[in-house]
Amino acid sequence: MNDPRPLYERAAAQFAVLLEAVTPSRLGDPTPCSEFDVRALLSHSVNGLYLMAHIGENGDWKSAPPPVSDFADNAWRESYRDAHQRFGEAWSDDAMLSSTVSSPWGEETSGHAMVGFALLETVAHGWDLSEALGRPVELDPVLAEAVIPMAHDALPAASRGGPVPFGAVREAPVGADAYDRLAAWLGREVPDRSHG
């Protein structure tokens, strides 16, 4: 993938559509990401974008401010839009993709890899949110197909546990679509949809 930013923009637009289905009454609903309910998933997603925007702006994650903890229940769409806009501005310069930045994973990485991680996170958590909300919209299959190879490279099955915040790889059901295969690779339990 020469430039992950166009696909990231496409994934962020999809996530924003899913946010339209989030009401305050759904914020306590569980998600397939077992440590997050909907509220915690959205907080993780928004704060993750803010952190990666800070890295794009400063080249270093250690000086980032602490995560925001007081999002209003009815302000998730605006919060996500603000974080997404800041992320896009921080990584808008083509030269940023070949830059070297400090990552929260304990090693330096390229700007390209950082934007690629934002793409992977946005697609994966879009699936989590979609499942939590009862699959309100059809997800863009191109996005999942694009990030599956990235997930295999960045998160090999043998590396799970410890500092890697993903569960063991699960077996996807026969006939699973790209999103379900991605989710299974990331350790999510994927329902068997073959019976309707």
Side-chain angles (χ1 to χ4, degrees):
M1 188 183 304
N2 292 331
D3 184 347
R5 291 174 298 182
L7 280 177
Y8 163 75
E9 290 291 336
R10 194 162 158 176
Q14 176 171 271
F15 199 92
V17 170
L18 288 165
L19 278 173
E20 295 295 326
V22 176
T23 60
S25 65
R26 304 300 302 267
L27 292 172
D29 289 357
T31 77
C33 195
S34 58
E35 65 266 36
F36 294 146
D37 59 13
V38 170
R39 177 186 282 105
L41 178 72
L42 297 182
S43 179
H44 170 78
S45 297
V46 171
N47 278 307
L49 280 179
Y50 278 135
L51 175 60
M52 287 184 277
H54 179 88
I55 293 170
E57 293 161 351
N58 299 277
D60 185 4
W61 70 275
K62 294 176 185 153
S63 60
V68 179
S69 59
D70 57 350
F71 294 106
D73 285 355
N74 61 353
W76 287 108
R77 288 186 287 279
E78 293 77 9
S79 299
Y80 184 78
R81 188 183 310 121
D82 179 69
H84 165 64
Q85 180 177 349
R86 184 172 160 196
F87 176 89
E89 290 171 353
W91 295 98
S92 61
D93 185 346
D94 292 348
M96 287 298 299
L97 295 183
S98 57
S99 66
T100 299
V101 296
S102 165
S103 84
W105 308 288
E107 57 188 30
E108 291 188 333
T109 191
S110 69
H112 186 285
M114 188 63 64
V115 177
F117 182 75
L119 167 62
L120 173 59
E121 281 271 291
T122 304
V123 173
H125 289 317
W127 182 87
D128 290 328
L129 184 57
S130 175
E131 291 292 304
L133 297 173
R135 308 179 84 200
V137 298
E138 184 175 350
L139 299 180
D140 182 350
V142 170
L143 295 171
E145 292 285 4
V147 302
I148 285 174
M150 296 169 53
H152 287 183
D153 288 343
L155 300 164
S159 71
R160 306 306 169 89
V164 179
F166 294 90
V169 172
R170 295 175 182 254
E171 186 173 349
V174 174
D177 67 12
Y179 278 92
D180 286 355
R181 297 197 311 273
L182 173 64
W185 184 263
L186 297 178
R188 276 41 162 192
E189 183 173 354
V190 177
D192 184 347
R193 307 185 202 277
S194 62
H195 304 294

